[in-house]
């Protein structure tokens, strides 16, 4: 089945938005052929300014900057920045100097220092390594306590979500969130919906219960998360606990949650744990022939994203475009 029209239109809009700002995006795996290919296309099309962390090759693509951490005069500045951020954890200045020259950390410290606007890693590093570097070098956004992830799901039926686009979270990082963490995820994902979909979020906290139809401590946790979200973000259009059909289908939502401003019109789905989120997005992707775009990290002070090690050059390209949009 062809890629959903909603996915094609979404990516085209993001490319045009990114082209207007031409952000500096740094790639720590700068010698990876997939990264070089994507960077060359991004530069050639004038979408953003790619910076690759690697020695400059003999046939470097036009418009692409290469930086070698071992010879860069900025390495000492980044080492000092990393030392200040991690000294309370017991790191020494010598250790900070060594860490700052690792490509993942060098790239994220560039972002932290304002020398790049965002980073895209993970083509050759694990998610754990990539997220750890981002947390330690970039840090968590003020007011947040954790990093989570979001998928943009593009479905064929454009009656769902925002013109066939929905934000799913968390499907990749936080295994068993507490109510407070679930609230963090909901607020961060609402912001991702605004930024990436350019739409006002309608946030559904999902469960196997709708408005008390089921009784269990897992339901109680979602109800508590809703209370925290409404306390922290009183203007946010959010509701729960809602079953998936009540969140998405107007007839079901009207029946199960009458009066809800989210039921039947949700564009932002918050899953109660990683198991349900990961299973849910893959079922929609495979059985519904949807496009799963992402995941993208959220909750960081500045944008940094994680690729799959099985990614294609197109995946790198798309992740860079999204990262540029997250830069604002």
């Amino acid at each position: 089945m062809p890629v959903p029209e909603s996915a094609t239109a979404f990516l085209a809009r993001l490319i045009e938005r990114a082209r207007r700002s031409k952000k500096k995006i740094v790639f720590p795996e700068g010698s990876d052929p997939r990264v070089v290919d994507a960077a060359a296309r991004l530069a050639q099309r004038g979408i953003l300014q790619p910076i690759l962390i690697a020695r400059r090759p003999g046939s470097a693509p036009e418009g692409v900057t290469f930086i070698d951490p071992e010879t860069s005069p900025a390495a000492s500045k980044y080492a000092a920045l990393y030392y200040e951020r991690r000294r309370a954890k017991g790191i020494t200045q010598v250790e900070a100097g060594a860490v700052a020259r690792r490509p993942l950390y060098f790239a994220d410290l560039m972002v932290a220092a304002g020398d790049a606007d965002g980073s895209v890693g993970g083509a050759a590093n694990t998610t754990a390594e990539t997220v750890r570097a981002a947390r330690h070098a970039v840090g968590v956004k003020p007011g947040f306590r954790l990093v989570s992830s979001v998928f943009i799901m593009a479905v064929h039926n454009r009656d769902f979500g925002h013109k066939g686009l929905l934000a799913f979270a968390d499907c990749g990082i936080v295994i068993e969130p507490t109510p407070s963490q679930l609230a963090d995820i909901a607020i961060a994902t609402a912001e991702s919906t605004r930024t990436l979909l350019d739409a006002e979020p309608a946030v559904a906290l999902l469960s196997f219960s709708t408005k008390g139809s089921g009784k269990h401590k897992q339901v109680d946790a979602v109800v508590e998360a809703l209370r925290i979200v409404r306390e922290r973000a009183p203007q946010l259009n959010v509701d729960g606990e809602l079953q998936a059909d009540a969140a998405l289908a107007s007839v079901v939502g009207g029946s199960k949650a009458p009066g809800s401003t989210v039921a039947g019109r949700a564009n932002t789905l918050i899953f109660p744990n990683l198991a349900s989120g990961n299973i849910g997005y893959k079922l929609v992707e495979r059985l519904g022939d949807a496009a799963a775009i992402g995941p993208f990290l959220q909750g960081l002070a500045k944008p940094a994203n994680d690729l799959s090690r099985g990614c294609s050059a197109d995946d790198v390209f798309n992740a860079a475009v999204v990262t540029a949009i997250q830069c604002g």
Side-chain angles (χ1 to χ4, degrees), residues 3 59 75 111 202 205 277 307:
V3 173
S59 54
V111 175
L205 300 187
L307 298 159

Side-chain angles (χ1 to χ4, degrees), residues 104-105 108 121-122 124-136 147 172-173 297 306-309:
L104 271 178
Y105 286 83
D108 284 335
N125 290 279
T126 66
T127 291
E129 293 165 337
T130 306
V131 174
R132 186 183 305 114
R135 282 185 59 90
H136 290 179
V147 176
I173 295 181
L297 300 181
D306 171 45
L307 298 159
S308 163
R309 284 173 289 171

Side-chain angles (χ1 to χ4, degrees), residues 95-274:
E95 289 168 338
V99 171
R101 284 176 171 77
R102 297 178 192 169
L104 271 178
Y105 286 83
F106 188 92
D108 284 335
L109 287 165
M110 280 191 75
V111 175
D115 296 332
D117 297 299
S119 71
V120 177
N125 290 279
T126 66
T127 291
E129 293 165 337
T130 306
V131 174
R132 186 183 305 114
R135 282 185 59 90
H136 290 179
V138 175
V140 177
K141 183 179 296 187
F144 287 82
R145 289 174 290 280
L146 83 165
V147 176
S148 59
S149 66
V150 60
F151 273 97
I152 303 302
M153 302 300 297
V155 300
H156 289 278
N157 187 341
R158 301 187 77 173
D159 291 335
F160 287 119
H162 176 68
K163 300 177 182 178
L165 299 169
L166 302 101
F168 279 30
D170 179 6
C171 305
I173 295 181
V174 187
I175 296 174
E176 198 67 52
T178 65
S180 178
Q181 290 174 328
L182 199 59
D184 255 18
I185 293 167
I187 294 169
T189 309
E191 185 175 319
S192 293
T193 296
R194 285 196 188 95
T195 301
L196 300 179
L197 303 190
D198 199 21
E200 190 59 27
V203 183
L205 300 187
L206 299 182
S207 176
F208 59 81
S209 167
T210 296
K211 297 298 182 180
S213 66
K215 305 295 182 184
H216 193 274
K217 63 181 181 180
Q218 292 180 356
V219 177
D220 296 340
V222 175
V223 172
E224 174 62 8
L226 176 65
R227 186 195 66 77
I228 296 170
V229 172
R230 286 178 168 166
E231 183 178 90
R232 289 179 54 194
Q235 303 307 313
L236 184 61
N237 186 19
V238 57
D239 204 1
E241 82 284 13
L242 296 172
Q243 290 164 285
D245 57 352
L248 296 169
S250 57
V251 173
V252 180
S255 172
K256 291 187 174 184
S260 172
T261 58
V262 172
R265 54 180 69 89
N267 57 21
T268 306
L269 303 185
I270 308 303
F271 293 84
N273 53 38
L274 183 59

Side-chain angles (χ1 to χ4, degrees), residues 3-4 7 10-11 150-155 166 168 171 280-286 289-296 315 318:
V3 173
F10 170 65
L11 291 170
V150 60
F151 273 97
I152 303 302
M153 302 300 297
V155 300
L166 302 101
F168 279 30
C171 305
Y281 100 80
K282 289 180 178 177
L283 285 175
V284 173
E285 181 184 26
R286 299 300 175 180
D289 291 309
I293 305 166
F296 306 110
D315 293 329
N318 292 337

